[in-house]
Amino acid sequence: MELFSEIVIFVVISLGTIEVGAITLCENYRDFTLIRGVSCNTYLFCFLGKPFRQGWCYLGTGFDPILKRCTWQAFIQCEKEVQEKQNQLNNIFVCPGSLSEAFYPNYTGGCPTKKYLQCNNGVLTKKTCNTGMFYNDGIDSCDSYTKIPCDVRNALCPQDLIHGIYADYSSGCPPNKYFVCLGYFDEAAQTTFTYKSEYTCPDGLYYNEGIKSCDFIQNIPCQHNIKN
């Protein structure tokens, strides 16, 4: 009973140092355990359904609730989840602030689309292609709809396309794969032959179609730019 009293006193004294909103996170934990706090880089010591201490991870790392330790992978995943939840609440497209210029399609109305988004240092500009034209995310330009691949699962290179790079969203977003279309004009046949080459980003990186390159996950928005 004396030990229990000391623990209760310690809980009351320590609550003032815990983030606002974290008080109820330990309610389902009666035994001593560690869980992630409100912020990605914080964790809570829970006991008897209450948090009695809060810890902070090193800069750039986050708390992994499974491994019970701080890792940079956990921070990246947590930041992604937080951003996705915020985007869903706001239903808006958030430009990556670290990119000086990037272009993304707006597929909220389906594919092909006339709408696309331009990002400049975090500032969003909504744009629309001219009449009869649709946005081709492989070349970051408005184009004929016949040159735009809309089949996510079995994406084929558009006919008559000389060069284009497309994200492979078959496994969701952010995508770690992309494919490149290269074509050449055959004088004898008087037609263009296009070939498709598939690539996978290095571990820890994902394909950012806004800059046509593999990039860090925090720079890859998933709102609006996935083909329906």
Side-chain angles (χ1 to χ4, degrees):
M1 185 65 181
E2 182 179 350
L3 175 60
F4 178 77
S5 300
E6 291 179 357
I7 292 175
V8 172
I9 293 173
F10 185 59
V11 169
V12 174
I13 292 175
S14 301
L15 285 179
T17 64
I18 296 173
E19 289 179 291
V20 176
I23 304 299
T24 61
L25 295 181
C26 291
E27 287 182 345
N28 296 325
Y29 301 94
R30 303 302 299 171
D31 297 330
F32 175 81
T33 189
L34 293 174
I35 67 170
R36 191 171 72 193
V38 175
S39 302
C40 294
N41 64 336
T42 63
Y43 54 94
L44 298 171
F45 295 82
C46 297
F47 187 69
L48 298 179
K50 295 183 179 295
F52 66 89
R53 182 179 295 177
Q54 177 174 288
W56 286 265
C57 296
Y58 288 110
L59 183 65
T61 66
F63 185 73
D64 189 316
I66 297 177
L67 299 177
K68 303 298 183 185
R69 61 188 179 89
C70 299
T71 68
W72 65 268
Q73 296 97 329
F75 181 77
I76 291 175
Q77 180 62 30
C78 178
E79 288 284 288
K80 174 178 173 290
E81 292 173 359
V82 170
Q83 186 65 70
E84 287 180 348
K85 289 179 181 179
Q86 188 62 47
N87 290 346
Q88 291 172 0
L89 290 174
N90 296 336
N91 194 29
I92 60 173
F93 183 94
V94 179
C95 284
S98 61
L99 302 180
S100 59
E101 185 176 62
F103 295 88
Y104 298 91
N106 184 349
Y107 284 121
T108 53
C111 181
T113 180
K114 299 179 71 68
K115 299 179 180 180
Y116 63 102
L117 308 164
Q118 180 177 350
C119 295
N120 295 95
N121 298 311
V123 179
L124 173 67
T125 303
K126 298 180 179 180
K127 296 195 172 185
T128 304
C129 292
N130 293 330
T131 303
M133 303 292 282
F134 296 84
Y135 186 72
N136 188 335
D137 51 297
I139 60 175
D140 290 337
S141 179
C142 295
D143 204 352
S144 168
Y145 79 93
T146 59
K147 296 183 180 181
I148 302 170
C150 287
D151 187 341
V152 176
R153 297 293 176 183
N154 303 291
L156 300 175
C157 288
Q159 188 178 5
D160 299 332
L161 183 67
I162 299 300
H163 181 263
I165 308 177
Y166 299 88
D168 181 354
Y169 287 113
S170 60
S171 58
C173 188
N176 68 336
K177 296 181 179 180
Y178 62 99
F179 62 94
V180 177
C181 298
L182 291 174
Y184 73 94
F185 183 76
D186 189 308
E187 293 286 351
Q190 288 295 297
T191 188
T192 299
F193 294 94
T194 306
Y195 296 91
K196 176 181 176 181
S197 300
E198 299 180 345
Y199 299 89
T200 301
C201 291
D203 290 343
L205 298 179
Y206 297 85
Y207 183 71
N208 187 339
E209 65 180 345
I211 58 174
K212 301 292 181 288
S213 179
C214 295
D215 199 358
F216 295 107
I217 192 172
Q218 60 265 30
N219 292 333
I220 303 174
C222 288
Q223 189 79 353
H224 300 346
N225 60 316
I226 305 176
K227 293 182 176 70
N228 294 326

